[in-house]
Amino acid sequence: MKKINFAWTNYLYLLPAVLLVAVFFVTSIVYTIRLSFYEYDGFSTMRFVGLENYLYLFRDANFKISLMNTVIWVVFSLLFTLALPLLLAILITNSSWVGGFKNIFYYPTALSSTIGGIIMVAILSKYGIPQLFGLLGFESLVRDWLAIPYVNTFIMILMGTWQGVGLNTILFITGLATIPDSPIEAAKIEGARTIQLYNKVILPLLKPTTVVVLLMSLVNSFKVFDSIWVMTKGGPYRTSETLALTMYQESFIHGKFGVGAAVAVVLTVIILIVSYFNIRNTFGDTDQTA
């Protein structure tokens, strides 16, 4: 009887958090899914349209561009925010100024995406860095680089990398610090060279940290919004929009809340599918290890 009371007491500690999640998170999800089947401009009566909002999306050229931009963001963000922090973490842990390098690379992470975006707008505007190219004789480069379609997407990805590399580097440094010395010493005694040591011993032992960084980078890439909004607002001609930005544009700029909700549902389903495979991979490896 005492054991049963103890279990219920533990569940009571969780009850406030469960209620908050149910009220503010689950109800929002249910309402958004319901809204995606309606036509609604925020003022008129909601009208049920079935799958029309989803069919509209897949006929809409802007949505296809937005989906393509989101894929580009995810692929290149993963490439930069996974490989570069790992390389930096290895170099920093083998340097004699670990604390200093950690602070230098972590500093951009302390800035909000909005502030980082404003800085980039100032630097890359017609009166910023492009003027230097003009002085060197490259007059064609004296223009607002963030106004060049598709080029601006890659510039914003590099900006996101600049801000995100610090946190991922710190995570990799922490992961490297938790690797026990015995497997590394054993590999050295057996004659493993540096590349073999990292390929066969260190990187496999670093896999749990790598999975966490990968998952965080994936989710952040899918939902990136504020930096794009500050730098280009999705332009010019909606060519730099991602799904998160399209969701906002359709809902709050064009007054199509049903279409915006449909974009939110599509984005959520994509994130859930990608996250599911990553989580299954993580827990599958854990079970095998156990």
Side-chain angles (χ1 to χ4, degrees):
M1 191 63 186
K2 286 183 179 178
K3 188 180 286 185
I4 293 174
N5 289 335
F6 178 74
W8 276 109
T9 305
N10 288 345
Y11 285 119
L12 285 175
Y13 285 119
L14 296 174
L15 187 60
V18 171
L19 288 174
L20 286 174
V21 170
V23 171
F24 294 104
F25 187 67
V26 177
T27 55
S28 299
I29 292 175
V30 173
Y31 181 76
T32 302
I33 294 173
R34 177 176 176 269
L35 185 60
S36 69
F37 297 105
Y38 284 82
E39 180 183 305
Y40 184 53
D41 61 5
F43 300 99
S44 307
T45 305
M46 294 171 67
R47 186 172 69 88
F48 183 76
V49 292
L51 295 173
E52 183 56 35
N53 289 330
Y54 292 95
L55 296 175
Y56 168 81
L57 283 182
F58 291 102
R59 290 194 301 264
D60 183 23
N62 290 322
F63 177 77
K64 293 174 184 174
I65 293 172
S66 176
L67 189 60
M68 182 189 70
N69 285 336
T70 303
V71 172
I72 291 172
W73 264 92
V74 171
V75 171
F76 282 92
S77 294
L78 282 184
L79 186 66
F80 293 138
T81 59
L82 199 66
L84 186 58
L86 178 60
L87 179 63
L88 287 174
I90 292 171
L91 294 175
I92 289 172
T93 50
N94 288 293
S95 72
S96 57
W97 198 40
V98 176
F101 283 123
K102 282 165 67 175
N103 290 332
I104 288 173
F105 286 107
Y106 189 75
Y107 175 70
T109 308
L111 294 174
S112 72
S113 299
T114 304
I115 298 297
I118 293 172
I119 292 172
M120 286 297 159
V121 168
I123 291 175
L124 300 176
S125 72
K126 190 176 179 179
Y127 304 101
I129 288 179
Q131 284 293 330
L132 296 177
F133 286 92
L135 294 175
L136 294 173
F138 300 101
E139 295 294 336
S140 61
L141 294 176
V142 184
R143 54 189 297 192
D144 186 353
W145 290 359
L146 291 174
I148 305 174
Y150 305 111
V151 172
N152 52 15
T153 295
F154 289 97
I155 291 175
M156 289 187 287
I157 290 173
L158 290 177
M159 188 284 241
T161 303
W162 172 64
Q163 281 207 295
V165 73
L167 178 61
N168 292 350
T169 302
I170 296 296
L171 290 173
F172 276 126
I173 289 174
T174 306
L176 288 170
T178 59
I179 295 176
D181 293 332
S182 52
I184 299 174
E185 295 300 328
K188 286 180 178 176
I189 292 171
E190 291 180 3
R193 296 180 181 275
T194 304
I195 295 177
Q196 292 174 319
L197 193 63
Y198 276 99
N199 281 340
K200 302 292 184 183
V201 181
I202 295 177
L203 293 183
L205 291 174
L206 195 62
K207 189 174 181 181
T209 304
T210 306
V211 172
V212 171
V213 174
L214 177 67
L215 193 58
M216 287 174 51
S217 300
L218 267 175
V219 174
N220 289 335
S221 303
F222 274 116
K223 65 177 188 174
V224 61
F225 173 82
D226 41 5
S227 58
I228 300 176
W229 184 253
V230 169
M231 286 192 277
T232 66
K233 287 186 169 54
Y237 311 114
R238 302 185 68 176
T239 52
S240 61
E241 278 188 17
T242 58
L243 288 179
L245 212 71
T246 301
M247 176 179 62
Y248 180 84
Q249 291 266 23
E250 295 293 346
S251 299
F252 301 104
I253 304 298
H254 302 142
K256 298 177 180 177
F257 286 91
V259 176
V263 176
V265 172
V266 171
L267 179 59
T268 303
V269 169
I270 293 173
I271 292 176
L272 285 176
I273 292 172
V274 174
S275 300
Y276 167 75
F277 283 108
N278 276 281
I279 292 171
R280 192 183 69 167
N281 184 37
T282 306
F283 283 98
D285 288 348
T286 304
D287 292 342
Q288 288 175 11
T289 304

